[in-house]
């Protein structure tokens, strides 16, 4: 799908269809909708007055050929109440409109940059939200469908953002370009997570990293089993030893010439390409979902792509320990005691708490960089989904400043996070009789004990852990997130990086 920016007058411009938003209530016709209303001698006002369309959130209303408007059709999209309108709602509304237009079989549409005007929000940020809503809302994963489904020939080829004048044109061009880069990064993460585990293997993730490095000028290094052994990553190796797919430790670096900081920000993504639980086998029901246990790694790949394409002036390192977790004659067993790269010994209570094991060694490896901060993204615990539900990530960490950055980014991007405590009292739950620590506590505070385990390996470096087990997968279609992999984390972390120096 191509995105264009054009300069012109909304009533005079020709297109298949123009999409504008209106708010609910008496004075709901504003911005672009007002211009069209004026040009058509009150056509939209009349529709609202008759009660045919009320501007309810995400609802649509189609109007055909109208006097005073050059475009063939106008689609009005409801924005709900003006006082409740946010960028998140703009994403949802433009997605809803774009899906309606696609399902009609139309191939091209136009959205004015002033689709909506929100107080305290720049037109540039609004245009970004429009582009994200359309690009992410129209996403679909059809790679393994051999038959053309009806919808497939219904595909939007291009859409235009309309600017009023030169200044707007220049601003919108920039906004479109960065929102497109960001949306493509989210789509990369979604594609990787939607891929089944027999395709998206650790080796496939390593190849993807290599391809990204080549295309966008990132530095890449892949550590194979031999090197992983040499480094003493005993925890990572233990998880990998039950699988025939060779484990990979992926390192991507973005170090631009205009870099502002000498020490990097290290991002770590859990990439268990299939989590069967290992010897502590999971129940079969719903196990097919465990292909998404590499969503943290997929997000880090997306973030690294965006960081390079946006030329973010920061040194950013992405670390992705990638392996399967399978039962086998050689697999890790409950009761085993293993030695991590840090030297700490770990007693295995359950082989299904494998994410924290591979992250432990990645955290130790990360400390070698003396990073300014470490952020890990991991589908770590089912308990986090029980605590916060399927749309919110658990946020934990040791540094309030870093946590604040993430909370701030969460507000802007709509990727929701909620902080859980890592108080010392919880350490009790991971005390082992025979080793330094055990890899799982009981049922109590399951998301937190996951975080407490990781904390042991982060050392003194400002570190945040984001448990994304819930929001990486959508069980049903959402406003701009189709059912399936969501790409959660990419927009959140890119926003943190973009604001790193400003805050
Ligand atoms: N990958 C799972 C966590 C998970 C569960 C993600 C459900 C998404 C949906 C993780 O490796 C795991 O199995 N965690 C265990 C930890 C427990 C054994 C301490 C869990 O949550 O049950
Ligand atoms: Mn597991
Ligand atoms: Zn897992």
């Amino acid at each position: 799908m191509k995105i264009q920016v054009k300069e012109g007058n909304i009533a005079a411009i020709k297109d298949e269809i123009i999409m504008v938003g209106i708010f609910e209530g008496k004075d709901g016709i504003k911005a672009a909708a007002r211009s069209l209303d004026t040009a058509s001698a009150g056509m939209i006002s009349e529709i609202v007055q008759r009660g045919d369309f009320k501007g309810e959130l995400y609802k649509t209303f189609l109007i055909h050929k109208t006097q005073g408007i050059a475009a063939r059709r106008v689609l009005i999209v409801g924005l709900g109440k003006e006082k409740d309108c946010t960028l998140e709602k703009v994403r949802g509304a433009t997605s809803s409109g774009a899906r309606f237009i696609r399902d009609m079989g139309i191939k091209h549409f136009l959205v004015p940059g002033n689709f909506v005007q929100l107080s305290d929000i720049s037109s540039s940020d609004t245009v970004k939200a429009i582009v994200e809503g359309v690009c992410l809302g129209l996403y679909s994963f059809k790679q393994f469908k051999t038959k053309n489904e009806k919808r497939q020939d219904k595909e939007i080829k291009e859409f235009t953002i309309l600017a009023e004048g030169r200044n707007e044109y220049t601003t919108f061009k920039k906004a479109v370009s960065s929102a497109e880069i960001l949306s493509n990064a989210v789509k990369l993460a979604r594609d990787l997570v939607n891929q089944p585990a027999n395709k998206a293997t650790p080796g496939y993730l390593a190849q993807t990293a290599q391809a990204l490095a080549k295309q966008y000028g990132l530095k890449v290094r892949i550590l194979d089993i031999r090197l992983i052994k040499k480094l003493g990553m005993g925890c990572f190796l233990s998880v990998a030893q039950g699988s025939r797919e060779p484990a990979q430790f992926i390192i991507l670096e973005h170090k631009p010439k205009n870099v502002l900081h000498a020490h990097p920000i290290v991002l770590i993504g859990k990439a268990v390409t299939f989590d069967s639980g290992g010897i502590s086998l999971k129940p079969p029901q719903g196990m097919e979902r465990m292909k998404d246990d590499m969503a943290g790694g997929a997000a880090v790949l997306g973030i690294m792509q965006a960081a390079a394409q946006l030329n973010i002036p920061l040194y950013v390192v992405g670390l992705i320990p990638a392996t399967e977790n399978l039962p086998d004659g050689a697999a890790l067993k409950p009761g085993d005691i293993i030695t991590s790269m840090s030297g700490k010994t770990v007693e295995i209570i359950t082989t299904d708490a494998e994410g924290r094991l591979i992250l432990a060694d990645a955290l130790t490896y990360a400390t070698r960089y003396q990073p300014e901060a470490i952020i890990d993204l991991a589908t770590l615990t089912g308990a986090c989904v029980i605590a916060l539900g399927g749309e919110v990530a658990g946020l934990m960490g040791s540094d309030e400043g870093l946590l604040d950055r993430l909370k701030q980014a969460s507000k802007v991007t709509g990727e929701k996070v909620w902080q859980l405590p890592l108080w010392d009292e919880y350490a009790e739950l991971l005390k082992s009789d025979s080793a330094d620590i055990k890899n799982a506590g009981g049922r109590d505070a399951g998301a937190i004990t996951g975080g407490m385990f990781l904390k042991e390996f982060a050392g003194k470096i400002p570190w945040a852990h984001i448990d994304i087990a819930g929001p990486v997968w959508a069980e049903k279609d959402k406003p701009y997130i189709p059912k399936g992999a969501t790409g959660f984390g990419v927009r959140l972390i890119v926003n943190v990086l973009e604001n790193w120096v400003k805050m």
Side-chain angles (χ1 to χ4, degrees), residues 371-392:
E372 197 163 309
I374 305 175
I375 304 172
D376 78 70
L377 293 152
T379 47
L380 206 70
T381 67
C384 199
V385 192
I386 304 294
L388 298 173
E391 299 193 31
V392 181

Side-chain angles (χ1 to χ4, degrees), residues 270 275 282 290 293 350 352-354 356 379-383 440 469:
K270 169 181 174 183
D275 181 11
K282 285 183 182 293
M290 281 302 127
D293 211 19
T350 162
D352 199 10
E354 84 298 339
R356 61 198 71 185
T379 47
L380 206 70
T381 67

Side-chain angles (χ1 to χ4, degrees), residues 374-448:
I374 305 175
I375 304 172
D376 78 70
L377 293 152
T379 47
L380 206 70
T381 67
C384 199
V385 192
I386 304 294
L388 298 173
E391 299 193 31
V392 181
L395 174 66
M396 286 151 262
S398 57
D399 185 272
E400 289 302 324
L402 180 59
L403 295 173
D404 283 344
R405 287 175 186 273
L406 286 154
K407 289 175 197 169
Q408 185 55 34
S410 172
K411 277 185 201 140
V412 180
T413 57
E415 296 202 314
K416 293 201 171 65
V417 299
W418 194 257
Q419 189 178 346
L420 301 172
L422 292 183
W423 290 317
D424 291 342
E425 285 84 345
Y426 292 110
E428 194 69 33
L429 298 170
L430 291 177
K431 276 202 175 136
S432 163
D433 293 335
S434 46
D436 295 337
I437 190 170
K438 55 186 184 184
N439 79 329
R443 282 163 49 93
D444 287 3
I448 292 172

